[in-house]
Amino acid sequence: MNVKVEKQFQVSAFFTFFLIHSSQTGVGILNFQSQVIKHAEQDAWISLIITWAATHIILYIIFKLLGGGTNDLVAVHQYCFGKAIGSIMSVMALVYFWLASLTVLRAYIEVIQIWVYPSIKTWQLCIVFLLTFYYIISSGFRSLTGFSFWGVILPAFLFFLIYFPLMHANYIYLLPAFSHSLSELFFSSKGYALLFLGFEWILMYYPFLKSSNNRDISKWAYLGNIYTLIVYLIITLISFLYFNQEVLQHLPWPTLMMVKIVKFSFLERFEYVFIFIWLLVIISPICISLWACTRIVKRTFSIPPKATLLFLLIAEMIVSVYLQEFKSVDYLVNFTSNVGIGFVYVYLPLLLIIKWIKNHFMKNRLNKI
Amino acid sequence: MIKEKNNLNPTENQTPAEIVKRAKKSSDFKEIQKNVSGVQIFILYFTSLIDHKTMEHVFLPYINECEKKTGQAFDINQFKNSLPLEDIIRTKEATEIEEKIHQGYVLIQFENNLDDFLLVNVNNLSKGIRESNETENEFNVIGPKLGFVESLDTNILLLRTKVKSPLLTTEEIVMGTLSKTRVMIVYLDGITNEQHIENVKKRLSEIDFDIIFDTSALVQLIKGNSYTPFPLYFSSERLDRISYSLTSGQVVIFSDGSPYAVSGPTTIFDFFLSSEDYYYNWIIGSFFRFTRILAIIFSIFSSAIYVAVMTFHYEVVPADLLGPLIESRANVPFPPLLEVLFLEMTIELLREAGARLPTKVGQTLGIVGGIVIGQAAVMAALTSNILLIIVALAALASFTTPAIVMSNTIRILRFPFIIMSSFLGGLGIMIGFAVLLCHLFKLKSFDTPYMVPLHPFRSNSLADSIIRSPYDKLNKRPDFLRPKDKIKYSPKESNKKKEDINDE
């Protein structure tokens, strides 16, 4: 059942690090604080570590799913459920992947409309973005890998900006530490889950990773996940130190608010620059997920990927234009986050159990014959 | 759509007699009849192609001598062996005869044996070719000034004097249906990857073209992807630069009549290295290279950023700086886009006019254009002072690229960015940047990624890209060229320990 991908389309295992990390970071990083501070308050950073640990386990499960003859999601589905039901399950996964891409795109468009160009119409931005994304995705997985690599390296200099909020940091805000119950911590970790979603696309691009053994890829994947943890930990701590909890609960975009105070002798309002550079960061989650969609369609129905891509992009545009209000975008984000949590943290472990049962039966049947 | 080859091609399937007949239509084709040992011989040649000195002092006197000897019976082989010239071919092939008489060979036909011909080389191909081989377009302050000339043989001689290695291998093919240009593929046998050599040969053999004017024209014909403003193959007239790419494992293509050699597979960084970087100390060399790369980034983005800031994001300019900006733009009646396009086009005009004019007039033009027009445009309130500074600096910055082909690309790249920024401001610039990156990621030069070592990322090849490392770190050939011998030279480990204070 293994899919064979030609060597010229593959990328080396080392890039798994960047693919995992870059598909996790999207627009969520700009406004996650109000979600996570509700329950665990100043202890939310512990919730972050809990979410990271859960993600690590899911990554382990994913590599278990991808081993043993089934090296992508479509193959796993067909193995577990047979051709017909397997295809239906793959289409469900496609819908979720598409939703994830749509959410990042719509949220970024909203950030642009609110922060930079208040008068620009959604459809205008949509057309520009979709043309760009069509060009990027249609140039193949290797180019996407390039974006995920440079989308991590180039914006890395933005880290130096933490100097500015740190100047106003108030260390008292983190105290008292460890003062929340487990259930509160878990509720906050659910808020963090959206930030970690995205790594599951490895289910589709796994055959495109060049490696002698499975270990090599999983090692880089775990490291990528750890890097994501570090990035989020820094941003969480900085925003907790900079804002007090009351403010943070009602602030729509705390990360951008922190960037706003950055000032140079030749440059003010640094959040403009930040938002524009953020385009490089969101290219990976949007494009890799859409690429994974086209891959699912190609694997299950053998429809040419470019046609699928065009269809999916136009669908994204229609839905984006339809979601006009701030509230509906918020609803979309919450909906996707719930679907994603369901898919990743509930469905994937179940799938592994089903695979094990199936393996067991297959073995028994073989023994009987 | 593939066009059928013309079957009525007059140069195919012809006899030697027909060739001679056609050649005789040209007024510079001469025929001399002599009688040697009782056999009538015809000496046929293009008088414009041969070396008259050899003809008059060696060849004809010898024939005259033969005429006097009447005793012996005539024998072609003996005649061939006793001719006092080095390159004599005995042939019956019509195509070979046709090819050679156009290269300055003398054709000798014998009355008693009409099928057999002798071809004697008395050509003078260096006739009419410039002598001076100083590099004119790629200038260096220090380092050798030797460059290539229009003669292929001279170029190969220059290369062989630089690289006196037995590994240096040349392969010749003749290209161009009308020009019959000699094209030479040069590589280091046993070091350059065979895949590249095969690839070059395959792509060259696929070309069907009439006249090969220059190697740079040849390169456009072998390009895999013609929808790109980027040069996919490196062309240089500098001997040291081409020897360097040869030793790092690239294939070099020469063609007769062109002072430019082309090397490939190349990466984008090849266009930003000047051979001068290697003549300075590595710290200074790295600094220059870094400056150059910064200059290119500045050159591409500066005018676009000006348009974006002036049209959409004047908030990002601090208040103290905004004052002078507004003041200089106060009287300009155009939107920033038109203002920038007007100035950019002026600079393009100056550059184009400067390139077409003779050197001495060109300098005057620079002064007239740069100072007079620029000053007058500001005085007439057509542009702002600050924009004039930005555009002039950007133009200056674009000329720091050592390869002229790349500097042209950079100048063109600015316009899409300017237009994008006038539509969408900073977002437009970033979208343009993303599309540019994607385009670069897709490009390939002889099936090798163009953006290597940046994409796919190769940390071990970074030693000679953005910075120029010291020579003992540069002893490896770049990995992406997949050379068969990875080590160029092995520097000796210095035995000296690091010195402590006053260590005796």
Side-chain angles (χ1 to χ4, degrees):
Chain A
M1 288 265 252
N2 263 346
V3 202
K4 283 238 166 66
V5 174
E6 299 239 354
K7 227 180 164 188
Q8 51 167 333
F9 298 120
Q10 286 186 323
V11 296
S12 46
F14 154 75
F15 286 108
T16 319
F17 176 88
F18 294 96
L19 285 164
I20 291 281
H21 171 69
S22 69
S23 36
Q24 285 174 329
T25 45
V27 182
I29 200 169
L30 304 180
N31 62 356
F32 67 97
Q33 288 94 334
S34 55
Q35 289 284 327
V36 299
I37 206 160
K38 250 182 233 161
H39 302 281
E41 296 180 327
Q42 75 274 17
D43 280 345
W45 56 272
I46 305 172
S47 315
L48 174 63
I49 294 172
I50 295 173
T51 318
W52 165 77
T55 311
H56 189 90
I57 294 166
I58 298 294
L59 262 176
Y60 178 80
I61 289 174
I62 285 178
F63 286 115
K64 276 274 167 268
L65 277 173
L66 292 174
T70 47
N71 68 349
D72 76 352
L73 185 64
V74 177
V76 175
H77 277 152
Q78 287 191 356
Y79 176 74
C80 294
F81 306 111
K83 186 108 189 161
I85 301 173
S87 298
I88 294 171
M89 297 313 278
S90 300
V91 171
M92 301 287 266
L94 177 145
V95 171
Y96 160 60
F97 287 179
W98 176 81
L99 259 180
S101 154
L102 171 73
T103 310
V104 181
L105 177 69
R106 189 61 190 87
Y108 186 65
I109 287 178
E110 192 182 15
V111 170
I112 287 178
Q113 282 174 330
I114 288 175
W115 285 81
V116 194
Y117 305 118
S119 59
I120 201 161
K121 297 273 184 306
T122 313
W123 64 268
Q124 293 166 330
L125 276 176
C126 269
I127 288 177
V128 176
F129 279 134
L130 298 184
L131 285 176
T132 317
F133 294 146
Y134 180 79
Y135 181 69
I136 292 173
I137 299 168
S138 61
S139 56
F141 186 69
R142 279 185 74 113
S143 297
L144 290 185
T145 314
F147 271 103
S148 77
F149 179 78
W150 288 104
V152 175
I153 300 289
L154 288 180
F157 83 92
L158 294 175
F159 261 120
F160 292 110
L161 299 181
I162 62 171
Y163 167 78
F164 294 91
L166 263 188
M167 301 236 293
H168 307 280
N170 198 340
Y171 297 94
I172 290 296
Y173 288 162
L174 274 186
L175 297 175
F178 307 109
S179 59
H180 291 82
S181 69
L182 262 180
S183 67
E184 281 170 328
L185 290 178
F186 273 116
F187 271 115
S188 279
S189 8
K190 191 173 166 264
Y192 272 116
L194 177 67
L195 294 181
F196 278 91
L197 291 180
F199 65 92
E200 68 274 13
W201 300 322
I202 197 175
L203 282 167
M204 286 320 293
Y205 61 72
Y206 184 77
F208 284 76
L209 302 171
K210 189 174 8 184
S211 166
S212 45
N213 57 357
N214 201 329
R215 272 252 184 92
D216 218 17
I217 297 175
S218 54
K219 183 187 77 189
W220 286 114
Y222 296 144
L223 280 177
N225 198 31
I226 288 174
Y227 183 63
T228 310
L229 168 74
I230 293 169
V231 171
Y232 290 159
L233 205 55
I234 290 173
I235 294 172
T236 306
L237 289 179
I238 296 287
S239 42
F240 284 10
L241 291 173
Y242 181 73
F243 295 109
N244 70 41
Q245 279 181 35
E246 285 298 307
V247 175
L248 212 48
Q249 284 200 11
H250 302 106
L251 217 53
W253 278 285
T255 313
L256 285 177
M257 283 293 185
M258 287 193 294
V259 176
K260 220 173 146 83
I261 62 161
V262 175
K263 207 180 219 177
F264 300 104
S265 59
F266 54 92
L267 198 65
E268 270 177 7
R269 302 290 297 272
F270 196 81
E271 81 272 13
Y272 282 6
V273 181
F274 187 91
I275 290 170
F276 296 146
I277 289 175
W278 212 249
L279 177 70
L280 284 183
V281 177
I282 62 141
I283 281 177
S284 305
I286 294 178
C287 293
I288 295 176
S289 57
L290 276 179
W291 178 88
C293 288
T294 62
R295 184 86 190 143
I296 290 177
V297 175
K298 193 190 167 195
R299 292 266 293 117
T300 35
F301 308 110
S302 18
I303 294 172
K306 276 196 178 173
T308 327
L309 179 59
L310 205 63
F311 173 76
L312 291 174
L313 281 172
I314 290 172
E316 268 193 15
M317 179 170 159
I318 292 168
V319 177
S320 303
V321 174
Y322 180 72
L323 298 170
Q324 275 300 351
E325 282 167 61
F326 182 79
K327 262 193 186 158
S328 48
V329 177
D330 217 35
Y331 179 75
L332 173 73
V333 174
N334 282 333
F335 180 69
T336 310
S337 140
N338 286 334
V339 172
I341 291 167
F343 178 80
V344 171
Y345 297 98
V346 181
Y347 174 68
L348 287 182
L350 271 178
L351 194 61
L352 183 66
I353 293 169
I354 295 172
K355 194 186 167 188
W356 274 342
I357 295 171
K358 181 95 182 179
N359 270 349
H360 189 71
F361 274 103
M362 291 287 263
K363 233 181 242 167
N364 278 356
R365 201 180 295 167
L366 280 178
N367 285 346
K368 271 177 198 166
I369 296 164
Chain B
M1 200 175 74
I2 300 162
K3 272 187 193 160
E4 286 271 320
K5 258 215 139 175
N6 194 354
N7 282 330
L8 297 170
N9 192 346
T11 55
E12 258 172 44
N13 300 326
Q14 53 186 356
T15 59
E18 280 170 351
I19 292 170
V20 173
K21 203 177 148 199
R22 177 171 312 104
K24 273 184 182 164
K25 285 184 187 165
S26 303
S27 57
D28 59 344
F29 193 71
K30 278 205 173 166
E31 180 179 6
I32 302 174
Q33 291 191 17
K34 296 278 178 185
N35 195 317
V36 180
S37 313
V39 179
Q40 188 80 10
I41 66 170
F42 303 95
I43 302 167
L44 303 150
Y45 58 92
F46 279 99
T47 177
S48 47
L49 291 177
I50 59 150
D51 185 19
H52 290 276
K53 236 184 215 167
T54 325
M55 195 70 181
E56 284 157 16
H57 295 293
V58 184
F59 188 71
L60 287 178
Y62 176 76
I63 299 287
N64 284 342
E65 212 125 293
C66 285
E67 261 187 321
K68 283 173 205 157
K69 291 184 217 157
T70 46
Q72 300 154 335
F74 182 75
D75 176 43
I76 290 188
N77 263 340
Q78 203 209 331
F79 181 76
K80 182 189 166 195
N81 289 338
S82 56
L83 257 176
L85 285 163
E86 56 163 344
D87 189 3
I88 302 158
I89 305 163
R90 185 176 172 181
T91 183
K92 289 176 181 172
E93 295 276 326
T95 44
E96 192 179 10
I97 292 170
E98 171 161 54
E99 206 174 281
K100 297 289 183 194
I101 56 173
H102 285 95
Q103 289 173 11
Y105 281 62
V106 169
L107 180 73
I108 306 175
Q109 203 177 7
F110 306 94
E111 202 190 14
N112 62 347
N113 192 353
L114 281 171
D115 285 342
D116 236 347
F117 298 90
L118 279 187
L119 285 163
V120 185
N121 186 3
V122 282
N123 67 7
N124 180 13
L125 289 181
S126 57
K127 210 194 253 176
I129 281 171
R130 68 179 167 136
E131 293 289 308
S132 150
N133 60 354
E134 206 169 305
T135 52
E136 278 168 2
N137 300 323
E138 292 161 45
F139 193 75
N140 271 11
V141 180
I142 54 173
K145 306 255 183 295
L146 267 188
F148 295 121
V149 291
E150 277 85 351
S151 152
L152 178 63
D153 294 316
T154 317
N155 292 346
I156 300 296
L157 173 124
L158 286 171
L159 196 66
R160 278 203 188 276
T161 47
K162 195 78 168 178
V163 186
K164 292 192 198 72
S165 162
L167 301 178
L168 187 73
T169 316
T170 59
E171 278 181 44
E172 195 181 297
I173 34 175
V174 175
M175 291 178 59
T177 47
L178 288 179
S179 66
K180 307 269 185 230
T181 312
R182 294 159 64 212
V183 174
M184 198 98 77
I185 303 167
V186 184
Y187 55 88
L188 292 179
D189 192 29
I191 286 172
T192 313
N193 195 307
E194 275 123 1
Q195 235 173 314
H196 299 319
I197 303 167
E198 286 307 312
N199 207 330
V200 173
K201 272 196 240 167
K202 192 174 146 256
R203 299 226 189 156
L204 283 182
S205 62
E206 279 167 0
I207 292 174
D208 185 28
F209 204 62
D210 55 352
I211 298 183
I212 311 293
F213 291 104
D214 194 81
T215 343
S216 26
L218 195 67
V219 162
Q220 292 173 39
L221 297 170
I222 55 175
K223 244 186 199 181
N225 179 6
S226 55
Y227 298 104
T228 173
F230 286 90
L232 294 183
Y233 307 101
F234 183 79
S235 68
S236 175
E237 58 166 1
R238 293 191 64 86
L239 174 62
D240 47 0
R241 188 68 187 74
I242 287 297
S243 323
Y244 182 77
S245 24
L246 193 67
T247 49
S248 41
Q250 295 181 348
V251 184
V252 179
I253 306 169
F254 285 93
S255 79
D256 202 12
S258 165
Y260 279 86
V262 167
S263 72
T266 41
T267 69
I268 195 164
F269 272 119
D270 282 334
F271 296 91
F272 302 127
L273 338 169
S274 152
S275 46
E276 210 171 23
D277 297 347
Y278 300 94
Y279 301 145
Y280 289 120
N281 171 321
W282 72 274
I283 298 174
I284 295 170
S286 301
F287 173 71
F288 285 164
R289 192 175 285 176
F290 191 66
T291 320
R292 222 175 280 140
I293 289 169
L294 277 189
I296 285 144
I297 293 168
F298 178 81
S299 174
I300 294 176
F301 293 108
S302 58
S303 333
I305 289 173
Y306 177 86
V307 172
V309 168
M310 285 292 121
T311 321
F312 297 100
H313 320 296
Y314 37 86
E315 304 99 310
V316 300
V317 183
D320 303 338
L321 202 63
L322 199 60
L325 256 180
I326 291 172
E327 216 169 277
S328 78
R329 252 191 71 78
N331 296 322
V332 180
F334 310 121
L337 173 70
L338 281 183
E339 188 191 357
V340 168
L341 282 182
F342 166 72
L343 250 178
E344 288 281 357
M345 281 319 288
T346 315
I347 298 254
E348 285 304 307
L349 283 181
L350 278 175
R351 193 191 69 90
E352 191 59 22
R356 301 286 152 259
L357 282 171
T359 335
K360 277 163 195 146
V361 192
Q363 284 173 359
T364 330
L365 184 92
I367 297 165
V368 172
I371 298 172
V372 178
I373 297 181
Q375 195 56 39
V378 172
M379 298 278 268
L382 291 178
T383 65
S384 72
N385 280 323
I386 289 177
L387 179 66
L388 190 67
I389 298 171
I390 291 175
V391 170
L393 269 182
L396 199 64
S398 77
F399 289 123
T400 56
T401 327
I404 208 117
V405 271
M406 190 45 111
S407 107
N408 291 340
T409 306
I410 284 158
R411 304 187 55 74
I412 286 203
L413 273 185
R414 282 154 46 170
F415 290 97
F417 276 103
I418 291 170
I419 289 166
M420 280 302 280
S421 73
S422 81
F423 283 128
L424 280 171
L427 185 68
I429 297 178
M430 277 320 282
I431 287 176
F433 180 64
V435 171
L436 174 68
L437 263 188
C438 187
H439 179 71
L440 283 171
F441 288 162
K442 278 206 300 193
L443 285 183
K444 278 186 173 175
S445 159
F446 287 136
D447 295 336
T448 305
Y450 192 55
M451 278 292 269
V452 111
L454 296 185
H455 169 78
F457 186 71
R458 299 266 182 280
S459 55
N460 46 0
S461 304
L462 277 177
D464 191 18
S465 52
I466 298 171
I467 52 160
R468 198 285 267 178
S469 310
Y471 273 120
D472 52 345
K473 296 262 161 54
L474 289 181
N475 63 335
K476 288 195 191 77
R477 297 196 165 85
D479 275 345
F480 50 84
L481 292 172
R482 283 171 281 134
K484 289 198 281 183
D485 184 3
K486 290 220 162 109
I487 307 291
K488 271 192 200 168
Y489 51 87
S490 345
K492 257 189 196 153
E493 298 265 331
S494 60
N495 291 324
K496 230 166 92 183
K497 280 180 209 153
K498 276 212 165 158
E499 273 180 18
D500 209 332
I501 302 171
N502 294 355
D503 225 2
E504 273 129 50

